[in-house]
Amino acid sequence: GRVIQWGKDVQSAQRVLRLHDGNVTAVGALSDGRFVTGGQDGRVAVWAPGRQDPALVTPHGVSPVSALAVAPDDGRVAVGFWDGQIAILDPEQGRIAGTEAQAGRVSGLAYLAGGDLVSVGADLRFTRWDDALAPQARAGLPDLPNGLARAGDRLAVIFAEGSLRLFSADGALLPERFLSERPLIAIAATPTVVAAAAVDGSIWLLEADTLRFRAGIAAATGPVWALALDDDTLFAGGATGAIRRYATA
């Protein structure tokens, strides 16, 4: 259950933190330097800069955490679980309340700029929720989703059958692109670029509006489990335990 915080150069660890029983399964960043982790133990922790212990931690849950998303104003953290629950955590007060959201694992969560939350799950459903977790829009998905990221005003979703699809905030299908015969298992996005990775370690960079191909990175040493993007850099973490950094500009 270790959490390792790295500098952008990924050459040295800034902090090594320990809390979760089992694997850390999801991470989200707040704009003030804090970050949030979720684990196999069903707990969610908020970590503040310079501290080795969490500023806030929820009790053990009955189901592992499967996804996290931080609201644009940092005032809410959405937490998805393997049993289909979605909970909203107040990162200041520690209050957490949830609802049955999906029939099966919550595969991905993302906040829209206006504050609504979007989820996708193993029940092949796309749902947009308001801040009270009341559904505002629903749509069916064509295959099993494995992840979700916001790309500007669109939602990018990766699928187990190897496709990347864009959706509107109401769940309407926009451009789609088949990338691999192998499952896609990691995704990250900015308003201009989407990155997706397959279970064999292949990575693709695509234009966020059209999914036009920008660049590809050949499979290296096994699965890429996590991706992160900023304006000019892609970070990829995989089965080897190494974090690889790529220039995207």
Side-chain angles (χ1 to χ4, degrees), residues 26-232:
V27 178
L30 285 80
S31 61
D32 61 3
R34 292 178 296 165
F35 63 90
V36 187
T37 60
Q40 275 185 317
D41 55 7
R43 290 190 289 176
V44 181
V46 179
W47 304 85
R51 292 181 54 170
Q52 289 298 116
D53 59 325
L56 182 157
V57 60
T58 64
H60 284 79
V62 298
S63 179
V65 174
S66 57
L68 286 174
V70 178
D73 64 357
D74 285 351
R76 290 163 291 153
V77 177
V79 187
F81 295 88
W82 274 80
D83 64 359
Q85 287 267 345
I86 293 178
I88 303 298
L89 171 69
D90 179 335
E92 299 292 342
Q93 304 297 324
R95 293 188 297 269
I96 188 166
T99 188
E100 286 282 351
Q102 312 275 172
R105 177 174 68 104
V106 177
S107 307
L109 294 168
Y111 274 102
L112 298 170
D116 279 0
L117 176 71
V118 174
S119 68
V120 294
D123 55 0
L124 310 188
R125 299 294 291 178
F126 171 111
T127 307
R128 178 166 59 85
W129 312 85
D130 66 13
D131 57 6
L133 286 182
Q136 303 301 297
R138 282 197 167 114
L141 296 171
D143 203 83
L144 181 68
N146 276 342
L148 166 68
R150 179 167 69 93
D153 60 355
R154 300 178 174 201
L155 289 310
V157 183
I158 50 171
F159 290 86
E161 42 79 67
S163 291
L164 169 63
R165 296 180 172 95
L166 296 179
F167 294 87
S168 73
D170 292 325
L173 180 61
L174 301 172
E176 59 183 315
R177 182 158 186 156
F178 179 78
L179 296 177
S180 174
E181 297 286 349
R182 298 177 180 271
L184 302 180
I185 58 172
I187 186 168
T190 70
T192 58
V193 180
V194 177
V199 72
D200 67 350
S202 301
I203 302 173
W204 296 264
L205 289 170
L206 306 110
E207 301 288 347
D209 55 349
T210 63
L211 297 186
R212 184 177 65 85
F213 178 79
R214 287 185 56 167
I217 300 168
T221 52
V224 171
W225 296 117
L227 295 170
L229 269 173
D230 68 7
D231 292 338
D232 58 6

